[in-house]
Amino acid sequence: MSSPERKLRLTDIINVNIWDVDSKPHIIVNYEKCKNCPTKACVRLCPTGCYTETENGILFSYEGCVECGTCRVVCPMEAITWTYPKSGKGIFYRFS
Amino acid sequence: MEEMNILDQKFDVAVVGAGPAGLAAAYYLAKKGFKTVVLERGREIGSKSIYGGRIYAAPLKEIYPNFNSMPVHRWVKKERISIMPDYESMISIDYQGKDAISFTAYLTEVVKWMGIQAETAGATIITDVPVTNFYRENNKVAGVVSGEDVLRSDVVVDAEGVNRLVLEASGIVKPLKPELVALGVKEVLKGDSKQIEDAFGLSQDEGLAWVFLGAATANVPGGAFLYTNRDSVSLGVVVLLDKAIVNLKDHISQLVESLRTAPALKNYLKNLRISEYSAHLIPEDVWSLRPERLVYDGLLITGDAAGLLLNAGYTYRGVDFAAYSGYLAGKAIESAHAQGDYGAGALSSYEKMLKDSIVIKELNRFRKVHEIMKNNLLFEKYPKIMSGVMKRMFENSDGPSKAWDAINESCKENQYSMLKLLINGYKIVRAL
């Protein structure tokens, strides 16, 4: 991960972070609401790419979440129920 | 309502969040003999803390007599502002001062240090506990709720940060809107201290704060930053969220990666490796974001949750303002206690002290910056005009153009009135 000349894939970048992933998701997405979303802004703006667009609509995975709150703010459909992970779970920053 | 489990132990003060605001409040109050508890959702203090990368020292020096043990990485002696018309070129202004007033550090380390100060003063800090609501008795805030557990206290300091889940649950604020906040995304790039000093022309303990405008945010209003830490670089991008929803075409992480791999920066970032990737929301329209009041019966609101963060255009001031607001909240609680009353009236000295402090004074002084930042021209048109001017002056094979002619021609090329450019330039300088 040392070459500054080429861009890295997001999955390789976020691999440097430390998480203690909760067994239950702390964010719940109502995919039904996503179907009519005019912006799908979460796909571009979730910094760790937790939201992806597939043939079957939006797909969300909470494992890489850094708990920034962006998805909840940019969602125009109020499709996201957002809380913090329970008891110390989730992202563990060391150098930020 | 679910069954509540009211804990026997009661505190004088409960603080929500072990960030800069909450820990400064806890430190002051514990020192004054208040039985103080801080509830933190992270596993350790600092494990959820992230910011851009530099802290202004003066407010922290006022709060902490032993400031000299603060885990400072480098004192910022060099400032650089660069306009990037594209990733290959930039126009930069450099400033090198004698006295440094800000320093770089990892916020994770800074809040750990602040936690030690608070604990040494006698505060209790409990981690792994996310506060979910306030506990009320007779319509007054009288403690905090975490799941089914209730911890009672005479007064509560809300220092929960920008995502105000507790204030929302209690009905004090509404959920954030995109136009109120910016999104910051950051990579920490590690090397060794000599590498950093050689690449950026720094001596030991000296730091650089570098701001980029233009291509660095794909012309979305915002900016990018680079701070030198002891043996690493913090490289990040900030975009206004409402503008990013409309104007950002790629994934947000691509902005940081494009900057990290920019030809214009390649000599600075050689052989550094990514060691952390982080993101955070930043209060932007702080006047609309601020809760109607910062004191309620039994409650004071501090730091990012109160919108007490300054965007000065070329820099943010969040950590020191948050800490200072926590410190003033502590003072207000002390004076309310002397009156034997924790009602909103008795606590309102917090709002008065804030108004007279550097925090609100600076926020008011920079109020116009926010209006200018929202102007897309600043991020799209102006870098192009400036680049056109520079190209005419420095890359003209027939010899350099006169500056005035170069500006005139570049304005024409970009279909922009030179008079408008001068007027807006004047406005920007006035606002800063």
Side-chain angles (χ1 to χ4, degrees):
Chain A
M1 215 146 298
S2 64
S3 167
E5 287 81 20
R6 65 185 176 84
K7 287 195 207 175
L8 297 170
R9 289 186 326 185
L10 184 56
T11 46
D12 292 330
I13 296 170
I14 66 173
N15 259 336
V16 303
N17 286 353
I18 291 182
W19 277 272
D20 178 3
V21 177
D22 202 351
S23 53
K24 271 198 278 180
H26 56 285
I27 295 171
I28 305 290
V29 180
N30 182 340
Y31 294 124
E32 278 306 307
K33 290 188 180 175
C34 300
K35 283 178 184 160
N36 300 315
C37 182
T39 67
K40 299 192 168 65
C42 56
V43 176
R44 284 172 296 128
L45 290 170
C46 166
T48 49
C50 289
Y51 297 82
T52 43
E53 201 173 358
T54 70
E55 287 170 3
N56 303 319
I58 298 287
L59 204 66
F60 169 71
S61 65
Y62 70 100
E63 288 85 352
C65 173
V66 289
E67 301 148 38
C68 67
T70 302
C71 57
R72 187 169 82 116
V73 181
V74 301
C75 176
M77 307 303 290
E78 295 183 20
I80 299 170
T81 309
W82 198 94
T83 58
Y84 284 127
K86 297 271 174 309
S87 62
K89 300 277 183 182
I91 185 71
F92 192 103
Y93 286 133
R94 298 155 294 156
F95 317 115
S96 287
Chain B
M1 198 163 201
E2 284 175 57
E3 197 70 11
M4 288 287 175
N5 170 33
I6 298 180
L7 301 174
D8 288 338
Q9 203 177 14
K10 191 188 159 190
F11 285 84
D12 297 331
V13 187
V15 179
V16 182
L23 291 171
Y27 166 72
Y28 183 83
L29 288 161
K31 214 170 58 167
K32 296 290 173 179
F34 287 84
K35 197 178 165 200
T36 307
V37 64
V38 182
L39 299 150
E40 162 58 33
R41 69 183 182 89
R43 174 137 312 160
E44 283 177 16
I45 298 174
S47 61
K48 305 290 185 185
S49 298
I50 166 226
Y51 79 136
R54 91 146 103 197
I55 299 173
Y56 286 83
L60 292 164
K61 282 183 176 166
E62 194 183 325
I63 302 166
Y64 295 104
N66 57 339
F67 173 86
N68 56 14
S69 64
M70 175 74 75
V72 168
H73 279 206
R74 293 176 181 276
W75 285 94
V76 176
K77 292 269 177 68
K78 287 186 178 185
E79 306 266 357
R80 185 176 295 156
I81 299 175
S82 295
I83 312 240
M84 291 182 115
D86 51 57
Y87 285 109
E88 274 84 40
S89 47
M90 51 192 176
I91 305 151
S92 303
I93 303 168
D94 262 44
Y95 174 77
Q96 183 146 8
K98 184 165 68 74
D99 300 311
I101 59 165
S102 65
F103 60 90
T104 64
Y106 293 148
L107 187 58
T108 44
E109 294 175 0
V110 169
V111 292
K112 266 193 191 97
W113 180 89
M114 291 176 77
I116 292 168
Q117 308 314 309
E119 283 183 318
T120 307
T124 305
I125 301 174
I126 306 175
T127 55
D128 288 343
V129 179
V131 171
T132 45
N133 207 338
F134 299 125
Y135 172 67
R136 287 175 195 266
E137 274 174 8
N138 308 321
N139 274 331
K140 287 172 108 167
V141 173
V144 293
V145 180
S146 177
E148 294 107 61
D149 293 329
V150 173
L151 186 63
R152 289 169 304 149
S153 64
D154 290 332
V155 59
V156 172
V157 176
D158 185 298
E160 63 179 313
V162 67
N163 287 308
R164 302 178 288 188
L165 299 188
V166 183
L167 288 176
E168 283 179 30
S170 68
I172 290 173
V173 302
K174 293 204 168 64
L176 291 170
K177 292 265 182 295
E179 58 273 22
L180 300 185
V181 289
L183 169 59
V185 176
K186 174 173 108 162
E187 289 177 358
V188 176
L189 309 171
K190 263 213 171 133
D192 61 52
S193 55
K194 176 136 193 325
Q195 225 178 318
I196 303 294
E197 280 146 23
D198 290 349
F200 294 94
L202 302 166
S203 51
Q204 214 190 343
D205 302 331
E206 260 183 17
L208 164 74
W210 193 349
V211 173
F212 308 89
L213 301 170
T217 56
N219 302 313
V220 176
F225 59 84
L226 183 159
Y227 295 109
T228 57
N229 304 312
R230 188 181 299 112
D231 57 2
S232 69
V233 163
S234 294
L235 183 73
V237 171
V238 176
V239 288
L240 302 193
L241 208 45
D242 58 334
K243 304 286 184 183
I245 290 171
V246 179
N247 297 324
L248 189 64
K249 301 284 177 282
D250 286 331
H251 188 262
I252 181 82
S253 64
Q254 286 296 300
L255 290 182
V256 196
E257 278 297 281
S258 297
L259 190 61
R260 188 179 65 84
T261 56
L265 288 181
K266 74 163 187 267
N267 290 335
Y268 297 101
L269 304 177
K270 252 186 238 164
N271 300 321
L272 300 177
R273 62 174 207 286
I274 302 178
S275 61
E276 199 152 77
Y277 177 77
S278 52
H280 202 269
L281 292 178
I282 306 163
E284 192 64 41
D285 183 355
V286 296
W287 299 275
S288 309
L289 190 141
R290 195 180 298 166
E292 214 172 295
R293 296 206 60 185
L294 297 185
V295 292
Y296 293 85
D297 289 337
L299 174 69
L300 304 94
I301 306 168
T302 61
D304 277 8
L308 298 173
L309 179 143
L310 170 70
N311 177 1
Y314 58 93
T315 194
Y316 281 103
R317 284 184 78 164
V319 171
D320 68 312
F321 278 17
Y324 204 75
S325 71
Y327 167 70
L328 294 182
K331 285 191 169 220
I333 289 170
E334 185 186 18
S335 95
H337 177 257
Q339 299 168 48
D341 173 16
Y342 286 122
L347 292 172
S348 67
S349 68
Y350 171 55
E351 287 176 327
K352 280 191 212 80
M353 283 189 282
L354 265 179
K355 207 174 263 175
D356 295 334
S357 76
I358 181 176
V359 179
I360 297 290
K361 279 186 182 156
E362 286 294 281
L363 282 173
N364 287 337
R365 197 161 72 85
F366 282 93
R367 193 160 187 160
K368 282 193 186 133
V369 169
H370 179 70
E371 292 308 312
I372 290 168
M373 291 286 290
K374 280 161 78 176
N375 180 357
N376 287 42
L377 285 175
L378 180 63
F379 299 92
E380 200 172 339
K381 208 84 169 175
Y382 294 176
K384 286 200 180 112
I385 294 171
M386 283 185 71
S387 149
V389 172
M390 295 293 159
K391 283 213 170 91
R392 280 174 176 78
M393 288 174 69
F394 302 124
E395 289 183 13
N396 189 345
S397 51
D398 299 334
S401 302
K402 277 190 191 165
W404 191 257
D405 293 341
I407 297 170
N408 200 356
E409 283 169 27
S410 185
C411 278
K412 270 187 195 149
E413 184 185 61
N414 288 287
Q415 296 169 339
Y416 197 72
S417 142
M418 191 157 154
L419 183 63
K420 231 159 123 188
L421 178 79
L422 293 173
I423 290 170
N424 283 335
Y426 176 73
K427 272 196 205 155
I428 291 167
V429 172
R430 280 289 303 273
L432 293 174

